Amino acid sequence: MRIGIEAQRIFRKKKHGMDIVSLELIKALQQIDLTNEYFIFVKKGEDTCLQASRNFHIIEVPGFTYADWEQVFLPLYALRYRLDVLHCTSNTAPVLSPVPTIVTLHDVIFLEQQQAKSLVKNRYQQLGRIYRKYIVPASLKHTEHIITVSQYEKERISETLRLQQDEISVVYNAYGSHFLKPDSNKIEVVREKYQLPASYLFYIGNTDPKKNMPATLQAYANYVANSHHSLPLVIADVSEPVLLGMLESTGLMHLRPQITLTGYVYNTDLPMIYAGAAVFLYPSLRESFGIPLLESMACGTPVITSSTSALPEVAGNAALLVNPTDQNAITSAINSLLNNYNTRTEYIQKGLERVKSFSWHISANHLLSIYQRFQA
């Protein structure tokens, strides 16, 4: 078979969730499939993190914007390389594709009424949300099959887009093999690099309302107010202006001295930051999967996450599940993991066991079986 994989953004220096998923799956396919011919379509970038091999060819596709790269040039290249199937990995696809197309639709949050009412201040996110809103329904009319990342999201996609369940397959995400308990020297090097405190709570946030940052900060404020020796809070992927605006709007400016911002964290540094944390906080309002849960568990750090969306499906019984809208419940969970040695040990062990159920090789084998449905 001649299989094309859209991986437009994997060579950009600062990668995020979908970029990492695409990259990890391609690397796993490269190891397990020595037979089929693969064409990995990328946009030129600073980080050439994937190397070509005998049956894996990296093809740089031109384009000025995300839209013309995907809607104009990608279909032309799919035709040029005579593909049997094209897999678009990041929610959207060409509206008119000259070859059979599979789309990984990570979520339909951008189509849900509750999320649509939330104002996204980031201009890039606004444009992306508008693009997906119109392109996803249009491109799915010409898509042969849909992949998503959890049973929860499969049901949401089926309901929101009125699709039959058999039109959608679930291929779980996983976590990188470098996510494991590192030695103390590596932890210290990264601690120094990001100027982290000796012990801390860790939270990954951004401006997306689903990340539940105001409630997380309020829960942390409750914890600080009722603790004689409170741990500082380390927040990744949030800028100083965003944090100050959030603290001001929630009346929590007094917390600023107890919060450390890392800025963007490179994926290779994340294991050391997880491992250095006493607790990882992930009380998101809505997730289609939740890779950080697995990353933290694999590094031996106990997790607090939400009892909503796909998060219980991923966490199983290996994380403390809370109502993400209940700030007191989040605070109580923090105290439980910090103050009860047996509870803490139990969740660390459960986490290390839970992550054994997920790997990129397992996911890649499942993905390959879907590709093979299109074999002539």
Side-chain angles (χ1 to χ4, degrees):
M1 289 183 68
R2 298 172 67 84
I3 300 166
I5 300 179
E6 171 274 314
Q8 179 180 163
R9 298 178 298 186
I10 64 167
F11 282 2
R12 66 178 177 174
K13 193 172 182 180
K14 293 186 176 181
K15 297 176 186 50
H16 291 280
M18 288 187 290
D19 314 331
I20 293 168
V21 170
S22 302
L23 177 61
E24 292 285 2
L25 281 170
I26 293 166
K27 285 182 175 179
L29 284 167
Q30 203 168 22
Q31 292 178 11
I32 68 171
D33 188 0
L34 303 177
T35 304
N36 293 301
E37 203 82 9
Y38 287 84
F39 302 88
I40 313 302
F41 299 115
V42 304
K43 191 169 186 177
K44 188 175 181 179
E46 298 176 65
D47 182 17
T48 51
C49 52
L50 183 71
Q51 302 302 316
S53 58
R54 183 185 61 79
N55 62 323
F56 275 73
H57 314 284
I58 297 172
I59 312 297
E60 287 188 3
V61 177
F64 297 102
T65 67
Y66 187 99
D68 74 311
W69 189 98
E70 179 176 74
Q71 298 301 324
V72 178
F73 292 102
L74 182 59
L76 292 175
Y77 275 67
L79 193 62
R80 176 185 296 180
Y81 286 93
R82 298 176 287 109
L83 301 181
D84 294 306
V85 64
L86 172 65
H87 178 195
C88 294
T89 65
S90 303
N91 290 336
T92 56
V95 172
L96 297 175
S97 174
V99 302
T101 303
I102 299 169
V103 176
T104 295
L105 188 53
H106 292 262
D107 62 64
V108 285
I109 295 172
F110 58 95
L111 293 174
E112 293 172 348
Q113 185 177 9
Q114 181 181 354
Q115 291 292 331
K117 289 180 180 178
S118 301
L119 292 177
V120 180
K121 296 179 181 179
N122 183 295
R123 181 172 174 80
Y124 180 79
Q125 289 177 337
Q126 285 179 326
L127 292 173
R129 191 178 292 270
I130 293 168
Y131 181 75
R132 290 191 300 273
K133 181 179 178 181
Y134 291 102
I135 291 298
V136 168
S139 62
L140 290 184
K141 292 178 182 178
H142 307 284
T143 295
E144 301 295 324
H145 197 66
I146 297 167
I147 294 169
T148 194
V149 295
S150 64
Q151 292 295 333
Y152 172 85
E153 202 60 40
K154 176 177 179 176
E155 292 171 9
R156 294 297 305 125
I157 291 169
S158 176
E159 179 183 339
T160 305
L161 295 172
R162 299 179 181 179
L163 298 172
Q164 297 298 314
Q165 295 269 334
D166 61 5
E167 297 178 71
I168 310 165
S169 295
V170 174
V171 176
Y172 279 133
N173 289 330
Y175 63 99
S177 58
H178 61 294
F179 285 93
L180 41 77
K181 183 74 173 178
D183 63 51
S184 57
N185 289 335
K186 290 182 179 178
I187 294 174
E188 285 305 315
V189 169
V190 171
R191 192 193 308 279
E192 183 69 24
K193 178 178 178 179
Y194 292 93
Q195 295 294 290
L196 304 179
S199 186
Y200 50 88
L201 309 179
F202 183 41
Y203 169 70
I204 299 175
N206 60 38
T207 56
D208 195 321
K210 74 175 184 177
K211 293 302 181 185
N212 203 26
M213 194 168 164
T216 304
L217 289 171
Q218 186 59 63
Y220 177 68
N222 296 343
Y223 155 72
V224 170
N226 293 284
S227 175
H228 295 299
H229 303 287
S230 59
L231 294 179
L233 177 64
V234 170
I235 302 178
D237 217 16
V238 170
S239 67
E240 181 76 19
V242 167
L243 175 65
L244 292 178
M246 195 77 70
L247 291 175
E248 185 175 8
S249 67
T250 53
L252 299 173
M253 285 296 289
H254 63 283
L255 290 181
R256 182 64 192 92
Q258 293 175 267
I259 297 174
T260 298
L261 298 180
T262 66
Y264 177 81
V265 177
Y266 289 97
N267 196 256
T268 50
D269 290 336
L270 265 175
M272 280 63 77
I273 297 181
Y274 282 122
V279 173
F280 176 56
L281 302 174
Y282 201 70
S284 182
L285 295 172
R286 168 77 164 84
E287 295 289 341
S288 60
F289 189 82
I291 292 176
L293 301 183
L294 301 181
E295 294 173 343
S296 182
M297 290 176 185
C299 293
T301 300
V303 173
I304 296 169
T305 194
S306 304
S307 57
T308 59
S309 62
L311 294 168
E313 182 180 339
V314 177
N317 68 347
L320 264 178
L321 302 180
V322 297
N323 177 349
T325 63
D326 185 343
Q327 298 155 7
N328 291 329
I330 301 171
T331 305
S332 177
I334 293 171
N335 287 321
S336 180
L337 288 177
L338 291 180
N339 301 329
N340 189 314
Y341 175 81
N342 289 335
T343 300
R344 178 180 179 79
T345 302
E346 175 189 354
Y347 279 101
I348 290 173
Q349 292 305 317
K350 284 182 175 179
L352 291 170
E353 191 62 31
R354 178 63 177 167
V355 296
K356 294 177 183 178
S357 300
F358 301 87
S359 83
W360 290 117
H361 275 201
I362 293 172
S363 300
N365 272 300
H366 191 179
L367 184 58
L368 181 57
S369 71
I370 295 171
Y371 291 162
Q372 288 169 338
R373 298 178 193 176
F374 295 86
Q375 195 160 13

